[in-house]
Amino acid sequence: MTVKVDRGKCISCFGCVSVCPVMALKEKERFPECDPDKCTSCGTCVKFCPAGALTLVKGEKK
Amino acid sequence: MIDNEYDVIVVGCGPGGSSTAKECAKRGLKVLALDRNLEIGTPVRCGEGLSENSVQTLGLDMPNGAKAQKIKGAIVYAPDGRRIKIAFKGTEGFVLERKMFDKWLAMEAGRAGAMTVPKSNVYDVIIEDGYVKGVKANVMGKDMEIRAKIIVAADGVESVIARKAGIKSGKNPMFVDSGFQYEMVGIDIEDPHSIILYFGNKIAPRGYVWIFPKGKDVANVGIGIAGNLGGEMTAKKYLDKWIETQPGIKKGSIIEVNGGCIPVGNFLKNMVVNGCLGVGDSVNQVNPIHGGGIAESIKASRIAADVIDKAIKSGDLSSSVLSEYNERWWKERGGTLKNVEKVREMFEKMSDEEMNDLGEVLSGEDLVDLAHGKNYAKVAKIYAKFKVKGIRRKIGI
Ligand SMILES: Cc1cc2nc3c(=O)[nH]c(=O)nc-3n(C[C@H](O)[C@H](O)[C@H](O)COP(=O)(O)OP(=O)(O)OC[C@H]3O[C@@H](n4cnc5c(N)ncnc54)[C@H](O)[C@@H]3O)c2cc1C
Ligand code: SF4
Ligand code: SF4
């Protein structure tokens, strides 16, 4: 699983990076990006996001 | 311009980082301060409130451009619409222009001799023999390994660098607020020299809506809600819903949007590892009721600089030497903030009805004291009064 970022909604606050327990998210070119190898699809970041920019989606492992 | 070795590398040029850089440079240390943003101070993630008391105790001689509006009091609305006006010395302060404030702090660091560099993303730490010995960063397009005796993780709420260094500063969503804010112009503000707060679980679960005026018709209009509640109803949706009910706000235009993660508790017993310590949001140094972290990060930076200076001079950079930072921070700030956290927990459990009751028994002064962790004994008394009120309501007298 991975997390998809809707860049139209995202306000680049990086709060999702803060709350991700496994550091699967990181800042890349002003937006968060999820590493599908690390993401456990726990949904913490989705619940946190103030702008509703995140959704859990199926993602390919690298 | 940039060397390969420093006494101190500060990661992040927010208020915590710039102040630490300045204080270390003032003590004669060779300091590098890196921030990934293109412009220090931008983008903003803040309501921009700072109390006069903090300005005084920290001796912040900031330029006028860093102050947007002088604040003389507060107006608090209970869930039933009851209005509590607070106006006395303890509530005075400023709504800042954080872009200017942060830039000014960075300039102060630069003037003290620290080398500040924007567009420098720190993506890893160098750890050798159990010590943090440097950082890996992309400095304006160039990948570099830069070493230092001490690394300061002032990387804000993300705290990726703090965590990579081994500081247990991950943010538990129970202990953070999810914030969203518009800066708006052309709005009606009932008193442009008061901050205005709206409480209620329907308006903002475990938080509040705030209006922080920056001029007679300009203000930060924002919201914080519990960080584990979102999903369908996000902070943005709650704020938009509330604005819909306020004709004087709804008619305004939006000139900025920001937001973010606000730590509201979960203070760390340990904020140091061998060769590294954390300052500011990275280690949750924020007031858990009003979410103010500007003053807290600057206060912590002064303690940090003392301890860093001592460690470097002694040649012992181990966590046992750096742990003096933990001890002093807990003595000077942690204890008080822990009390504030207890008060927050009490608020958090309240229904709207109970909050209305509290609005009746609390004076404005009590509210401010509570938010600052002062007169903690008073809390117990007020709580008792408020309980009686609740019982009366239940039995109908
Ligand atoms: C919505 C909201 C409202 C708030 N309202 C208020 C308020 O009214 N009053 C108040 O006092 N506080 C408020 N706060 C809190 C306040 O903004 C923070 O406490 C304060 O900014 C903390 O300062 P800091 O230096 O620790 O971190 P920050 O100001 O976040 O600075 C961290 C810096 O580190 C940089 N950085 C991060 N990672 C890296 C990296 N890997 N490499 C290079 N650079 C990096 C970032 O770009 C950033 O500039 C609010 C916060 C939010 C989200
Ligand atoms: S929390 Fe939401 S708005 Fe903030 S950076 Fe992450 S996706 Fe974007
Ligand atoms: S779903 Fe969980 S593990 Fe995946 S990015 Fe979000 S917080 Fe991290």
Side-chain angles (χ1 to χ4, degrees):
Chain A
M1 292 287 272
T2 184
V3 165
K4 198 176 111 223
V5 184
D6 180 339
R7 291 189 171 196
K9 288 183 178 169
C10 174
I11 56 167
S12 302
C13 71
F14 303 114
C16 51
V17 177
S18 315
V19 297
C20 175
V22 295
M23 287 203 272
L25 290 157
K26 65 168 198 238
E27 187 257 9
K28 203 182 171 202
E29 285 150 9
R30 319 271 132 210
F31 286 99
E33 192 185 69
C34 181
D35 179 346
D37 288 338
K38 286 189 187 156
C39 178
T40 62
S41 68
C42 68
T44 305
C45 58
V46 179
K47 279 201 182 135
F48 169 81
C49 177
L54 299 174
T55 36
L56 283 171
V57 291
K58 282 207 168 67
E60 296 295 307
K61 298 262 171 197
K62 273 186 268 180
Chain B
M1 202 164 76
I2 296 167
D3 297 334
N4 292 315
E5 214 163 329
Y6 288 83
D7 289 324
V8 182
I9 295 174
V10 178
V11 182
C13 296
S18 286
S19 305
T20 309
K22 175 187 171 186
E23 294 297 324
C24 287
K26 260 172 50 186
R27 287 162 177 79
L29 300 172
K30 185 180 172 194
V31 183
L32 178 69
L34 302 171
D35 198 291
R36 67 166 180 229
N37 289 334
L38 298 185
E39 181 178 10
I40 291 173
T42 310
V44 172
R45 296 179 291 192
C46 189
E48 309 184 281
L50 183 65
S51 75
E52 176 66 41
N53 189 20
S54 299
V55 174
Q56 294 296 334
T57 46
L58 293 168
L60 299 176
D61 189 14
M62 56 182 147
N64 285 331
K67 306 170 197 163
Q69 185 80 334
K70 174 86 187 133
I71 296 300
K72 295 178 183 150
I75 298 165
V76 177
Y77 284 95
D80 61 357
R82 181 189 305 274
R83 181 177 183 274
I84 308 169
K85 169 107 182 135
I86 311 171
F88 68 101
K89 249 185 152 339
T91 57
E92 284 177 6
F94 296 95
V95 177
L96 302 173
E97 196 58 73
R98 268 284 303 264
K99 296 177 179 76
M100 300 300 294
F101 180 80
D102 282 26
K103 215 171 200 176
W104 165 69
L105 282 177
M107 285 182 196
E108 290 277 288
R111 288 189 181 116
M115 172 61 78
T116 55
V117 193
K119 200 167 163 54
S120 298
N121 184 35
V122 177
Y123 52 82
D124 211 349
V125 291
I126 301 167
I127 300 179
E128 283 166 4
D129 313 320
Y131 278 75
V132 180
K133 296 233 165 129
V135 298
K136 294 180 185 173
N138 185 286
V139 181
M140 296 204 197
K142 190 176 164 206
D143 282 316
M144 294 183 79
E145 286 196 7
I146 318 169
R147 289 174 179 262
K149 298 188 178 100
I150 297 285
I151 309 300
V152 177
D155 53 336
V157 270
E158 281 111 283
S159 61
V160 169
I161 296 306
R163 284 185 272 169
K164 285 196 169 175
I167 299 169
K168 304 251 178 308
S169 64
K171 308 293 179 247
N172 179 334
M174 295 264 293
F175 295 101
V176 301
D177 276 2
S178 173
F180 194 89
Q181 174 178 277
Y182 298 118
E183 185 175 346
M184 296 183 77
V185 66
I187 57 174
D188 297 335
I189 305 171
E190 61 173 292
D191 175 5
H193 291 285
S194 284
I195 59 167
I196 308 161
L197 308 176
Y198 294 82
F199 285 86
N201 285 313
K202 290 202 189 78
I203 297 173
R206 203 193 76 187
Y208 52 88
V209 164
W210 66 78
I211 298 178
F212 284 9
K214 296 180 81 173
K216 68 178 193 325
D217 68 341
V218 193
N220 290 327
V221 180
I223 192 170
I225 65 168
N228 56 347
L229 282 181
E232 254 326 286
M233 273 308 276
T234 60
K236 176 179 188 294
K237 284 190 184 165
Y238 274 107
L239 182 63
D240 288 344
K241 195 172 123 195
W242 180 81
I243 290 174
E244 274 301 313
T245 67
Q246 307 288 316
I249 308 286
K250 196 182 155 185
K251 66 174 184 175
S253 304
I254 300 167
I255 50 174
E256 181 172 329
V257 47
N258 70 62
C261 176
I262 313 164
V264 288
N266 201 15
F267 300 109
L268 304 181
K269 282 270 166 266
N270 180 32
M271 303 174 285
V272 310
V273 292
N274 293 332
C276 176
L277 57 78
V279 171
D281 275 15
S282 77
V283 285
N284 302 348
Q285 291 163 341
V286 178
N287 178 305
I289 284 190
H290 58 58
I294 302 170
E296 291 303 334
S297 66
I298 300 176
K299 282 172 194 164
S301 75
R302 310 239 168 124
I303 306 172
D306 266 352
V307 175
I308 290 169
D309 188 35
K310 237 193 207 171
I312 289 179
K313 285 194 175 126
S314 77
D316 183 348
L317 311 170
S318 68
S319 59
S320 55
V321 168
L322 294 179
S323 70
E324 185 188 333
Y325 172 62
N326 293 328
E327 283 143 33
R328 279 185 55 189
W329 184 82
W330 272 95
K331 189 152 168 270
E332 288 174 35
R333 297 308 307 153
T336 304
L337 292 178
K338 190 82 199 155
N339 283 344
V340 179
E341 189 184 7
K342 284 185 204 146
V343 177
R344 186 186 65 79
E345 280 166 1
M346 183 182 97
F347 280 141
E348 196 181 318
K349 292 192 194 102
M350 285 183 193
S351 65
D352 279 4
E353 258 180 338
E354 287 172 317
M355 254 193 261
N356 292 334
D357 290 350
L358 195 68
E360 259 182 62
V361 296
L362 275 185
S363 73
E365 218 156 341
D366 294 334
L367 270 180
V368 174
D369 279 352
L370 285 182
H372 289 103
K374 275 195 239 157
N375 300 335
Y376 188 56
K378 219 161 137 188
V379 180
K381 253 187 171 154
I382 290 164
Y383 195 60
K385 250 208 256 176
F386 146 83
K387 277 280 177 213
V388 171
K389 174 92 186 115
I391 293 164
R392 282 208 184 126
R393 178 168 41 71
K394 275 196 192 116
I395 57 175
I397 51 168

